[in-house]
Each structure stands twice: as structure tokens, then as C-alpha cells.
Amino acid sequence: MIYTGVRITELLIMKKGSVYLNEKYMKGGIKTKAGKNRPIPFADKIYPYVTSLMQLPGDYLITQANGH
């Protein structure tokens, strides 16, 4: 969250369809009109973590081991 600037809720509702690994960013935001659907770039340090989260089952970036 520190490297992206997203809030906890934004991270928990982030769907994998909003993550663009090749371009190294995701689209998100929920609080303000200007902040909604904004591009959120990945720092090089967190890119491996995002890549591993994308490989887990489920529709959301943050999931439990059972896919929920």
C-alpha cells in the first residue's frame, strides 16, 4: 500500500481484470471523482509480489487460499 498509495478498501476490492502486468499498473480508486479508475503504477520492488498474487485462484487480487 505504501508503494501504490491505495487505501485498504481499494486494495481488497481490486479485481484482477484491472491489473495490467505487462504495463506495470492497475486501475483503481474509490473515494473521489478524480481518483476513480486512475492508473496506479507498480514500483519495481512490488512487481514480483503483484505477479505472484495474480497467479492465485480467484477474481480479486487479494484472495484467500481457497479463492475467496
Side-chain angles (χ1 to χ4, degrees), residues 1-8 10-11 26 29 38 40-41 46:
M1 289 174 18
I2 292 171
Y3 280 97
T4 61
V6 298
R7 294 173 175 85
I8 293 170
E10 292 173 322
L11 186 60
M26 59 186 170
R38 71 184 188 282
I40 303 164
I46 67 164

Side-chain angles (χ1 to χ4, degrees), residues 31-58:
K31 192 166 181 178
T32 65
K33 183 179 178 182
K36 291 182 181 180
N37 288 323
R38 71 184 188 282
I40 303 164
F42 299 137
D44 290 335
K45 289 186 176 188
I46 67 164
Y47 184 75
Y49 297 105
V50 176
T51 302
S52 65
L53 289 170
M54 288 292 287
Q55 294 174 4
L56 296 174

